[in-house]
Amino acid sequence: MKSIQVDRFVSFIDSEGLPVLLPTLFSISMNRMGYVPERKERVNKTTGEVEVILDKIEVSQHTINQYEGVILHFLQYVEQQSQVNSKLPNVHMHTHATSEFINTYLNDYLISDLKKGINTATQVRSVLTAYYNYLSLFEITNTKNLYIYPKLRKEAQKNVIRKRAYKYILKSTRTMMLLECKTVRDELLLRFGFECGLRSMENTSLFLENFTYAKKPVKGFLTLFDELKQKDKQVFEYLLIITKARRNEGSPARIIYIPRSLLEKCHQYYLTERPDSNSNSLFVSYETNHSGNAITVKCATRIFTEVKNKLLSSSSVDDIVLNEENSYHHLRHSFATEKFHVLCRGTPHHSITPGHAVISEMARLMGHKINKKEFAQEVTMRYIRSVDFMLIAEKV
């Protein structure tokens, strides 16, 4: 089974050199019309009954090429299976394939046998659904009910995720990490990473008392705690200043936006858990010889590593999307990925270029200095790749 490029469409040929007509016609249709059919349900206002209609979805040339590749792979599977079991439909009778047969290909073959990831499985499901929708237009066959088995969904996610340390850490994984924290302080250190985008060392720049920066007064956390009395206020601003450890990196001071729930947790920590201390730092050490001293710049990194290792060695490791190479900085990257997606405001994230206002705003939120076009491009592509993963993994 193979395909041959003919002008602006693909011709499908079986192993004996005979043309396979229907997928070839589908290729011609996509290339000429530029759309594929999508099955939708709507309620008839007159009868109240649910009706199934086929809508049109526009597709790019790149997407069409992907569709043709997916169909070829499926037909190769059909041909192979019919040679093993003559009772199964051959490649010329693939219109007779049942939903069960196609779901076996999608789940048992692609995910379990070939170890394909969730993104590949989702794409294949979409393509085959569109193809059989197209065939149903001509009453050649019925539409198919294709889906990824719930029991294999996690396996599909791990097939792609466990091979590398993704910089975006799933919300479910973050929740499990918080549950493993020994103290409220440790939980807060992780939350400042993925809710405010802090670097590990920047947790040492959270001060209790008001201070002066560039000859201007700046609110400390004690003042922010008082502002919690304003019940309608949901976000609180804090000026994160450059620390001595980071001055050579050239990162500018920046405002971070603290969600109310996070600030309330900080207040709880201050009232109930924080040791008596003369330190102006919000977070202080619990170690015997250093109790009450400001935390070190590596404290948040150490906490992240401890929690990560505990989860990876637990019995629930199969339910966790986490890698030994993940670091605290990936919490910050998770914050950036989600912010980047929100700032796009419906604009396709792949269309965002280095000069776009979204990139400038991201630089401000993250404390980046983007002076070189090459660096801007690198940062842009980093977020775009993470958004791609996030949309699939979080099912956004």
PDB file of all heavy atoms in Angstrom, residues 15 22 45 73 89 146 165 188 205 222 224 233 238 271 274 283 295 298 302 336 347 349-350:
ATOM      1  N   SER A  15      -0.994  -2.875  -2.705  1.00  0.00           N
ATOM      2  CA  SER A  15       0.282  -3.577  -2.869  1.00  0.00           C
ATOM      3  C   SER A  15       0.412  -4.267  -4.223  1.00  0.00           C
ATOM      4  O   SER A  15       1.515  -4.642  -4.635  1.00  0.00           O
ATOM      5  CB  SER A  15       0.456  -4.610  -1.747  1.00  0.00           C
ATOM      6  OG  SER A  15      -0.616  -5.534  -1.752  1.00  0.00           O
ATOM      7  N   LEU A  22     -11.651   5.640  -3.266  1.00  0.00           N
ATOM      8  CA  LEU A  22     -12.306   6.571  -2.357  1.00  0.00           C
ATOM      9  C   LEU A  22     -11.343   7.517  -1.622  1.00  0.00           C
ATOM     10  O   LEU A  22     -11.606   8.726  -1.564  1.00  0.00           O
ATOM     11  CB  LEU A  22     -13.177   5.801  -1.365  1.00  0.00           C
ATOM     12  CG  LEU A  22     -14.378   5.096  -2.016  1.00  0.00           C
ATOM     13  CD1 LEU A  22     -15.150   4.307  -0.982  1.00  0.00           C
ATOM     14  CD2 LEU A  22     -15.281   6.104  -2.713  1.00  0.00           C
ATOM     15  N   LYS A  45     -35.805  23.107  16.044  1.00  0.00           N
ATOM     16  CA  LYS A  45     -36.687  23.964  16.836  1.00  0.00           C
ATOM     17  C   LYS A  45     -38.158  23.579  16.684  1.00  0.00           C
ATOM     18  O   LYS A  45     -38.970  23.848  17.565  1.00  0.00           O
ATOM     19  CB  LYS A  45     -36.478  25.424  16.430  1.00  0.00           C
ATOM     20  CG  LYS A  45     -35.089  25.952  16.758  1.00  0.00           C
ATOM     21  CD  LYS A  45     -34.954  27.420  16.366  1.00  0.00           C
ATOM     22  CE  LYS A  45     -33.571  27.945  16.721  1.00  0.00           C
ATOM     23  NZ  LYS A  45     -33.396  29.370  16.331  1.00  0.00           N
ATOM     24  N   HIS A  73      -1.431   5.535   6.297  1.00  0.00           N
ATOM     25  CA  HIS A  73      -1.004   4.644   7.380  1.00  0.00           C
ATOM     26  C   HIS A  73      -2.145   3.728   7.808  1.00  0.00           C
ATOM     27  O   HIS A  73      -1.951   2.534   8.055  1.00  0.00           O
ATOM     28  CB  HIS A  73      -0.507   5.463   8.572  1.00  0.00           C
ATOM     29  CG  HIS A  73       0.169   4.647   9.629  1.00  0.00           C
ATOM     30  ND1 HIS A  73      -0.521   4.026  10.651  1.00  0.00           N
ATOM     31  CD2 HIS A  73       1.479   4.323   9.800  1.00  0.00           C
ATOM     32  CE1 HIS A  73       0.330   3.371  11.421  1.00  0.00           C
ATOM     33  NE2 HIS A  73       1.555   3.535  10.930  1.00  0.00           N
ATOM     34  N   PRO A  89     -12.206  -6.680   6.522  1.00  0.00           N
ATOM     35  CA  PRO A  89     -12.288  -6.006   5.226  1.00  0.00           C
ATOM     36  C   PRO A  89     -10.902  -5.689   4.671  1.00  0.00           C
ATOM     37  O   PRO A  89     -10.006  -5.290   5.419  1.00  0.00           O
ATOM     38  CB  PRO A  89     -13.063  -4.726   5.547  1.00  0.00           C
ATOM     39  CG  PRO A  89     -12.833  -4.493   7.004  1.00  0.00           C
ATOM     40  CD  PRO A  89     -12.776  -5.850   7.614  1.00  0.00           C
ATOM     41  N   LEU A 146     -15.576   7.384  16.867  1.00  0.00           N
ATOM     42  CA  LEU A 146     -14.184   7.086  17.200  1.00  0.00           C
ATOM     43  C   LEU A 146     -13.776   7.829  18.459  1.00  0.00           C
ATOM     44  O   LEU A 146     -14.128   8.996  18.655  1.00  0.00           O
ATOM     45  CB  LEU A 146     -13.268   7.492  16.033  1.00  0.00           C
ATOM     46  CG  LEU A 146     -13.642   6.921  14.653  1.00  0.00           C
ATOM     47  CD1 LEU A 146     -12.620   7.349  13.612  1.00  0.00           C
ATOM     48  CD2 LEU A 146     -13.770   5.399  14.716  1.00  0.00           C
ATOM     49  N   ALA A 165      11.570  15.953  29.410  1.00  0.00           N
ATOM     50  CA  ALA A 165      11.103  16.813  30.487  1.00  0.00           C
ATOM     51  C   ALA A 165      10.481  18.059  29.876  1.00  0.00           C
ATOM     52  O   ALA A 165      11.190  18.961  29.450  1.00  0.00           O
ATOM     53  CB  ALA A 165      12.267  17.187  31.414  1.00  0.00           C
ATOM     54  N   LEU A 188       3.933  27.561  49.412  1.00  0.00           N
ATOM     55  CA  LEU A 188       3.957  28.919  48.862  1.00  0.00           C
ATOM     56  C   LEU A 188       5.132  29.134  47.917  1.00  0.00           C
ATOM     57  O   LEU A 188       4.999  29.821  46.893  1.00  0.00           O
ATOM     58  CB  LEU A 188       4.015  29.937  50.005  1.00  0.00           C
ATOM     59  CG  LEU A 188       2.724  30.103  50.809  1.00  0.00           C
ATOM     60  CD1 LEU A 188       2.971  30.928  52.056  1.00  0.00           C
ATOM     61  CD2 LEU A 188       1.637  30.748  49.942  1.00  0.00           C
ATOM     62  N   SER A 205      13.376  37.969  47.622  1.00  0.00           N
ATOM     63  CA  SER A 205      13.136  39.405  47.462  1.00  0.00           C
ATOM     64  C   SER A 205      11.712  39.799  47.851  1.00  0.00           C
ATOM     65  O   SER A 205      11.227  40.855  47.458  1.00  0.00           O
ATOM     66  CB  SER A 205      13.401  39.819  46.005  1.00  0.00           C
ATOM     67  OG  SER A 205      14.773  39.710  45.702  1.00  0.00           O
ATOM     68  N   LEU A 222       3.379  43.246  54.658  1.00  0.00           N
ATOM     69  CA  LEU A 222       2.516  43.601  55.786  1.00  0.00           C
ATOM     70  C   LEU A 222       1.429  44.576  55.339  1.00  0.00           C
ATOM     71  O   LEU A 222       0.266  44.481  55.777  1.00  0.00           O
ATOM     72  CB  LEU A 222       3.352  44.203  56.917  1.00  0.00           C
ATOM     73  CG  LEU A 222       4.324  43.236  57.610  1.00  0.00           C
ATOM     74  CD1 LEU A 222       5.120  43.954  58.695  1.00  0.00           C
ATOM     75  CD2 LEU A 222       3.572  42.044  58.215  1.00  0.00           C
ATOM     76  N   LEU A 224       0.329  44.753  52.226  1.00  0.00           N
ATOM     77  CA  LEU A 224      -0.553  43.971  51.351  1.00  0.00           C
ATOM     78  C   LEU A 224      -1.542  43.145  52.176  1.00  0.00           C
ATOM     79  O   LEU A 224      -2.703  42.976  51.777  1.00  0.00           O
ATOM     80  CB  LEU A 224       0.269  43.056  50.445  1.00  0.00           C
ATOM     81  CG  LEU A 224       1.171  43.744  49.416  1.00  0.00           C
ATOM     82  CD1 LEU A 224       1.879  42.692  48.546  1.00  0.00           C
ATOM     83  CD2 LEU A 224       0.382  44.700  48.536  1.00  0.00           C
ATOM     84  N   LYS A 233     -11.100  43.284  46.155  1.00  0.00           N
ATOM     85  CA  LYS A 233      -9.804  43.316  45.481  1.00  0.00           C
ATOM     86  C   LYS A 233      -9.296  41.886  45.298  1.00  0.00           C
ATOM     87  O   LYS A 233      -9.165  41.128  46.255  1.00  0.00           O
ATOM     88  CB  LYS A 233      -8.800  44.134  46.295  1.00  0.00           C
ATOM     89  CG  LYS A 233      -7.506  44.438  45.538  1.00  0.00           C
ATOM     90  CD  LYS A 233      -6.666  45.468  46.279  1.00  0.00           C
ATOM     91  CE  LYS A 233      -5.445  45.849  45.458  1.00  0.00           C
ATOM     92  NZ  LYS A 233      -4.635  46.906  46.125  1.00  0.00           N
ATOM     93  N   TYR A 238       3.021  43.854  43.704  1.00  0.00           N
ATOM     94  CA  TYR A 238       4.232  43.937  44.518  1.00  0.00           C
ATOM     95  C   TYR A 238       5.409  44.183  43.580  1.00  0.00           C
ATOM     96  O   TYR A 238       5.540  43.499  42.551  1.00  0.00           O
ATOM     97  CB  TYR A 238       4.447  42.649  45.311  1.00  0.00           C
ATOM     98  CG  TYR A 238       5.729  42.635  46.118  1.00  0.00           C
ATOM     99  CD1 TYR A 238       5.796  43.245  47.369  1.00  0.00           C
ATOM    100  CD2 TYR A 238       6.882  42.019  45.614  1.00  0.00           C
ATOM    101  CE1 TYR A 238       6.980  43.249  48.103  1.00  0.00           C
ATOM    102  CE2 TYR A 238       8.061  42.009  46.350  1.00  0.00           C
ATOM    103  CZ  TYR A 238       8.102  42.627  47.589  1.00  0.00           C
ATOM    104  OH  TYR A 238       9.273  42.629  48.310  1.00  0.00           O
ATOM    105  N   LEU A 271       0.899  34.323  60.079  1.00  0.00           N
ATOM    106  CA  LEU A 271       0.247  34.320  61.392  1.00  0.00           C
ATOM    107  C   LEU A 271       0.430  33.009  62.156  1.00  0.00           C
ATOM    108  O   LEU A 271       0.500  33.017  63.393  1.00  0.00           O
ATOM    109  CB  LEU A 271      -1.252  34.596  61.224  1.00  0.00           C
ATOM    110  CG  LEU A 271      -1.644  35.984  60.710  1.00  0.00           C
ATOM    111  CD1 LEU A 271      -3.149  36.043  60.491  1.00  0.00           C
ATOM    112  CD2 LEU A 271      -1.187  37.068  61.679  1.00  0.00           C
ATOM    113  N   ARG A 274       5.170  30.921  60.453  1.00  0.00           N
ATOM    114  CA  ARG A 274       6.481  31.582  60.368  1.00  0.00           C
ATOM    115  C   ARG A 274       7.079  31.756  61.761  1.00  0.00           C
ATOM    116  O   ARG A 274       6.446  32.312  62.658  1.00  0.00           O
ATOM    117  CB  ARG A 274       6.338  32.942  59.691  1.00  0.00           C
ATOM    118  CG  ARG A 274       7.662  33.665  59.428  1.00  0.00           C
ATOM    119  CD  ARG A 274       7.371  34.982  58.710  1.00  0.00           C
ATOM    120  NE  ARG A 274       8.590  35.671  58.343  1.00  0.00           N
ATOM    121  CZ  ARG A 274       9.256  36.528  59.117  1.00  0.00           C
ATOM    122  NH1 ARG A 274       8.785  36.778  60.356  1.00  0.00           N
ATOM    123  NH2 ARG A 274      10.355  37.115  58.693  1.00  0.00           N
ATOM    124  N   PHE A 283       9.842  34.807  53.737  1.00  0.00           N
ATOM    125  CA  PHE A 283      10.145  33.396  53.956  1.00  0.00           C
ATOM    126  C   PHE A 283      11.450  33.240  54.726  1.00  0.00           C
ATOM    127  O   PHE A 283      12.485  33.803  54.343  1.00  0.00           O
ATOM    128  CB  PHE A 283      10.247  32.665  52.621  1.00  0.00           C
ATOM    129  CG  PHE A 283       8.957  32.634  51.847  1.00  0.00           C
ATOM    130  CD1 PHE A 283       8.892  33.119  50.545  1.00  0.00           C
ATOM    131  CD2 PHE A 283       7.795  32.139  52.415  1.00  0.00           C
ATOM    132  CE1 PHE A 283       7.713  33.101  49.836  1.00  0.00           C
ATOM    133  CE2 PHE A 283       6.606  32.104  51.717  1.00  0.00           C
ATOM    134  CZ  PHE A 283       6.560  32.602  50.426  1.00  0.00           C
ATOM    135  N   ILE A 295      15.513  32.710  53.945  1.00  0.00           N
ATOM    136  CA  ILE A 295      15.840  31.522  53.150  1.00  0.00           C
ATOM    137  C   ILE A 295      16.967  31.843  52.172  1.00  0.00           C
ATOM    138  O   ILE A 295      17.179  32.997  51.799  1.00  0.00           O
ATOM    139  CB  ILE A 295      14.612  31.010  52.366  1.00  0.00           C
ATOM    140  CG1 ILE A 295      14.092  32.076  51.393  1.00  0.00           C
ATOM    141  CG2 ILE A 295      13.530  30.538  53.295  1.00  0.00           C
ATOM    142  CD1 ILE A 295      13.046  31.586  50.415  1.00  0.00           C
ATOM    143  N   LYS A 298      18.668  29.156  47.004  1.00  0.00           N
ATOM    144  CA  LYS A 298      18.427  27.820  46.461  1.00  0.00           C
ATOM    145  C   LYS A 298      17.338  27.055  47.207  1.00  0.00           C
ATOM    146  O   LYS A 298      17.068  25.898  46.891  1.00  0.00           O
ATOM    147  CB  LYS A 298      19.729  27.006  46.481  1.00  0.00           C
ATOM    148  CG  LYS A 298      20.814  27.554  45.569  1.00  0.00           C
ATOM    149  CD  LYS A 298      22.045  26.668  45.593  1.00  0.00           C
ATOM    150  CE  LYS A 298      23.122  27.194  44.650  1.00  0.00           C
ATOM    151  NZ  LYS A 298      24.341  26.344  44.655  1.00  0.00           N
ATOM    152  N   ARG A 302      15.512  23.495  46.152  1.00  0.00           N
ATOM    153  CA  ARG A 302      15.657  22.293  46.985  1.00  0.00           C
ATOM    154  C   ARG A 302      14.286  21.690  47.312  1.00  0.00           C
ATOM    155  O   ARG A 302      14.110  20.461  47.235  1.00  0.00           O
ATOM    156  CB  ARG A 302      16.399  22.648  48.279  1.00  0.00           C
ATOM    157  CG  ARG A 302      16.537  21.472  49.245  1.00  0.00           C
ATOM    158  CD  ARG A 302      17.351  21.867  50.470  1.00  0.00           C
ATOM    159  NE  ARG A 302      16.790  22.996  51.170  1.00  0.00           N
ATOM    160  CZ  ARG A 302      15.765  22.926  52.013  1.00  0.00           C
ATOM    161  NH1 ARG A 302      15.174  21.763  52.247  1.00  0.00           N
ATOM    162  NH2 ARG A 302      15.322  24.007  52.624  1.00  0.00           N
ATOM    163  N   ALA A 336       4.529  31.351  32.465  1.00  0.00           N
ATOM    164  CA  ALA A 336       4.722  32.109  31.223  1.00  0.00           C
ATOM    165  C   ALA A 336       3.884  31.535  30.088  1.00  0.00           C
ATOM    166  O   ALA A 336       3.295  32.278  29.295  1.00  0.00           O
ATOM    167  CB  ALA A 336       6.203  32.109  30.842  1.00  0.00           C
ATOM    168  N   THR A 347      -5.992  35.261  19.191  1.00  0.00           N
ATOM    169  CA  THR A 347      -5.091  35.300  18.034  1.00  0.00           C
ATOM    170  C   THR A 347      -4.314  33.991  17.984  1.00  0.00           C
ATOM    171  O   THR A 347      -3.756  33.569  19.006  1.00  0.00           O
ATOM    172  CB  THR A 347      -4.097  36.473  18.153  1.00  0.00           C
ATOM    173  OG1 THR A 347      -4.817  37.698  18.235  1.00  0.00           O
ATOM    174  CG2 THR A 347      -3.152  36.513  16.955  1.00  0.00           C
ATOM    175  N   HIS A 349      -1.657  31.489  18.247  1.00  0.00           N
ATOM    176  CA  HIS A 349      -0.352  31.730  18.865  1.00  0.00           C
ATOM    177  C   HIS A 349       0.815  31.534  17.904  1.00  0.00           C
ATOM    178  O   HIS A 349       1.873  32.115  18.086  1.00  0.00           O
ATOM    179  CB  HIS A 349      -0.170  30.870  20.124  1.00  0.00           C
ATOM    180  CG  HIS A 349      -0.295  29.404  19.910  1.00  0.00           C
ATOM    181  ND1 HIS A 349      -1.509  28.757  19.788  1.00  0.00           N
ATOM    182  CD2 HIS A 349       0.652  28.435  19.793  1.00  0.00           C
ATOM    183  CE1 HIS A 349      -1.313  27.485  19.618  1.00  0.00           C
ATOM    184  NE2 HIS A 349      -0.018  27.244  19.602  1.00  0.00           N
ATOM    185  N   HIS A 350       0.601  30.736  16.850  1.00  0.00           N
ATOM    186  CA  HIS A 350       1.676  30.533  15.877  1.00  0.00           C
ATOM    187  C   HIS A 350       1.905  31.776  15.014  1.00  0.00           C
ATOM    188  O   HIS A 350       2.923  31.870  14.341  1.00  0.00           O
ATOM    189  CB  HIS A 350       1.355  29.334  14.981  1.00  0.00           C
ATOM    190  CG  HIS A 350       1.610  28.020  15.638  1.00  0.00           C
ATOM    191  ND1 HIS A 350       2.855  27.446  15.700  1.00  0.00           N
ATOM    192  CD2 HIS A 350       0.767  27.175  16.290  1.00  0.00           C
ATOM    193  CE1 HIS A 350       2.778  26.295  16.348  1.00  0.00           C
ATOM    194  NE2 HIS A 350       1.523  26.110  16.724  1.00  0.00           N
TER     195      HIS A 350
END
